[in-house]
Amino acid sequence: MTHSSTFNWTASIRLLLASLSLTIAQCPTSITPTNSIKPTVASDYAYQVVATGLTAPRSLQFDSAGNLLVLEQNKGLSSHVLKDNGGPCVSFSSSKYLIQDTNLTHGLALSPDESIVYVSSSSEVYAYSYDATSSSVGANRSTLVTGMQGTDHTTRTLLYPRHVNNTLVVSRGSTSNFDIGATTVSTGISQVRAFALNGSMSSPYDYGTSGMLLGWGLRNDVGVAEHPTTGGIWSVENSIDQLTRNGADIHENNPGEELNWLGYLNGTNETTQGTDFGYPYCLTAWDPSVLPDNGNITVGTPFASVSSNDSMCAKTTVPRLTFQAHMAPIDIKFNGSSGTDAWISFHGSWDRTDPVGYKVAMVKFANGQPVDLPTSNTSVTTILGNANNTACPDNCFRPTGLTFDSKGRLFVASDASGEFANGDKRSPKLNLELELKRVV
């Protein structure tokens, strides 16, 4: 791997406009979207592309100097200085690679003092010294967590919480669609764990046998977030594909994707923390009507692929909310300091006749919890998506990572259209959203 090399890219930008009087023509630059992909946007919002040309951007984070860090899958960590002309008029003024490492897959986090940047491969978590002023990393790295090998579901999401000190949350998915290894806690498969960070580590943590277990039986919880007021940890799960029940094909609309509540990191007692969320034997119903022998199953009810085993699933921890099957939630971020909106990127389906997902949406929160009941099938409000998904997954808007900047603008990455875009609600009282996409 190498560090701090010149970044060679082509770019396009989309903007969501801050008010009805602000138009794209007023921005100094306007970049043509890749492959003429033009997402649709909710009536109170608008958008414009920010930049294209990155390689599979996944996790995003701003530092205090305003540098946008982008973890590019199988490429490395890049840093981008933004030219901000106000409102949605944002573009890249310079870019460079801080780390070039084809083993990096997804995870990115900064320590609160921004002296360390954390990144992940499919098997390990690494730490580099970081300087926000120059947006540079040190030449040496240390390995913090090992033992996460696998060729399927290779994202290893990282979260450095702000409500507790010296803790790194790491998510690990399954190694296959139906992974029997997830039934044994010591394998570390399909789990979310938290690890203490201190200067006295003599060797790296082994993922499956170290740290604080926040939950297991979580098939592939790619998105992990901390609620800004309560410090509670939330994750969004990609559930199983090609599912049958009692021999009948039910995979089109079952099982549902999940929003999971993983409790707190400060010692507050939470009865569901560290418990079994069911995978691989127990999944969550989205459309109970098509389930054979569906009994009293409703949206959000755990069930088994053989109905005689449903009683076993009643003992597992249920998700806080359930989403349409196969939408593939890949990131979750809360707005500002209030945490009244959870923004979720839905990467989109492959295992469905009519594609679903491929959008950025909001879930309403109040007092640190979702407003909707666990049985709701209307908890998601779509903000940015495609007019239709027939061109998906290869030639449409397909969002991945999310991050807010210091002005409350939301940046979104897309790994099909390959662009950065910037968006804003058409109201001076609400924050600006910024969407980021990638060129294949």
Side-chain angles (χ1 to χ4, degrees):
M1 71 195 72
T2 59
H3 309 286
S4 301
S5 68
T6 301
F7 186 76
N8 185 15
W9 57 284
T10 59
S12 68
I13 301 180
R14 299 178 186 269
L15 292 99
L16 297 182
L17 304 183
S19 70
L20 289 170
S21 61
L22 181 61
T23 65
I24 291 175
Q26 291 175 282
C27 295
T29 60
S30 181
I31 302 173
T32 302
T34 302
N35 298 330
S36 298
I37 294 171
K38 297 181 179 180
T40 58
V41 65
S43 59
D44 289 341
Y45 294 79
Y47 71 86
Q48 182 171 317
V49 179
V50 175
T52 63
L54 290 92
T55 302
R58 304 292 284 190
S59 296
L60 316 174
Q61 188 161 352
F62 278 98
D63 66 20
S64 59
N67 302 299
L68 176 60
L69 303 182
V70 182
L71 195 292
E72 300 181 47
Q73 192 172 73
N74 305 129
K75 184 73 173 181
L77 179 66
S78 58
S79 174
H80 309 270
V81 177
L82 302 184
K83 182 179 181 181
D84 192 343
N85 291 298
C89 300
V90 179
S91 59
F92 287 178
S93 64
S94 64
S95 301
K96 63 182 178 180
Y97 278 110
L98 306 184
I99 304 169
Q100 288 187 279
D101 184 348
T102 58
N103 291 315
L104 299 185
T105 58
H106 186 87
L108 169 65
L110 279 173
S111 62
D113 64 2
E114 300 185 342
S115 65
I116 302 174
V117 62
Y118 303 91
V119 293
S120 66
S121 69
S122 62
S123 59
E124 297 178 322
V125 177
Y126 308 116
Y128 290 85
S129 61
Y130 183 71
D131 184 336
T133 302
S134 61
S135 190
S136 60
V137 300
N140 299 317
R141 76 180 187 192
S142 57
T143 302
L144 302 181
V145 183
T146 62
M148 299 183 290
Q149 296 83 355
T151 57
D152 196 9
H153 301 145
T154 59
T155 55
R156 305 291 180 253
T157 303
L158 307 179
L159 170 69
Y160 201 122
R162 296 312 192 242
H163 282 253
V164 295
N165 297 322
N166 302 319
T167 301
L168 189 68
V169 177
V170 183
S171 174
R172 181 191 180 189
S174 64
T175 63
S176 61
N177 184 40
F178 183 90
D179 192 341
I180 194 67
T183 62
T184 303
V185 174
S186 61
T187 65
I189 294 171
S190 296
Q191 298 177 13
V192 178
R193 290 177 174 264
F195 298 89
L197 302 175
N198 55 65
S200 61
M201 289 179 59
S202 58
S203 61
Y205 290 113
D206 173 71
Y207 186 85
T209 58
S210 306
M212 174 184 179
L213 180 64
L214 302 184
W216 58 291
L218 298 162
R219 179 177 177 267
N220 190 27
D221 284 41
V222 183
V224 183
E226 177 189 37
H227 193 274
T229 62
T230 68
I233 305 299
W234 294 88
S235 64
V236 284
E237 180 170 345
N238 291 246
S239 196
I240 203 168
D241 298 304
Q242 303 167 327
L243 185 64
T244 63
R245 177 172 166 90
N246 295 354
D249 183 356
I250 61 168
H251 87 275
E252 289 281 337
N253 289 311
N254 288 288
E257 316 287 48
E258 300 177 5
L259 174 67
N260 290 311
W261 165 236
L262 304 181
Y264 304 96
L265 297 172
N266 62 2
T268 300
N269 183 50
E270 179 58 51
T271 57
T272 61
Q273 189 171 70
T275 58
D276 178 12
F277 284 74
Y279 173 81
Y281 291 117
C282 299
L283 297 314
T284 303
W286 170 252
D287 182 2
S289 68
V290 302
L291 300 180
D293 192 16
N294 56 15
N296 296 318
I297 295 175
T298 62
V299 173
T301 300
F303 69 93
S305 61
V306 177
S307 58
S308 60
N309 292 328
D310 285 350
S311 59
M312 174 184 69
C313 295
K315 302 174 183 178
T316 61
T317 302
V318 300
R320 183 56 182 82
L321 288 175
T322 304
F323 308 127
Q324 162 72 52
H326 310 303
M327 288 209 298
I330 205 168
D331 201 359
I332 176 172
K333 292 291 189 298
F334 288 96
N335 65 311
S337 59
S338 65
T340 54
D341 298 319
W343 290 77
I344 302 173
S345 58
F346 291 96
H347 197 223
S349 64
W350 67 269
D351 186 26
R352 199 171 187 276
T353 302
D354 296 321
V356 291
Y358 305 98
K359 63 185 180 182
V360 175
M362 287 194 306
V363 170
K364 300 299 294 183
F365 269 64
N367 302 315
Q369 292 287 324
V371 171
D372 281 57
L373 296 174
T375 54
S376 173
N377 61 4
T378 59
S379 62
V380 170
T381 300
T382 299
I383 302 300
L384 194 63
N386 299 287
N388 67 75
N389 290 327
T390 56
C392 297
D394 296 327
N395 194 34
C396 67
F397 173 64
R398 196 177 195 196
T400 55
L402 308 172
T403 193
F404 286 94
D405 72 358
S406 61
K407 297 181 180 180
R409 299 179 293 196
L410 177 65
F411 288 69
V412 184
S414 169
D415 67 1
S417 55
E419 298 143 348
F420 287 100
N422 171 7
D424 190 16
K425 191 153 188 175
R426 296 179 186 267
S427 166
K429 297 180 180 179
L430 294 168
N431 289 335
L432 178 74
E433 287 80 40
L434 189 71
E435 170 224 346
L436 165 71
K437 307 176 182 175
R438 146 187 89 94
V439 165
V440 180

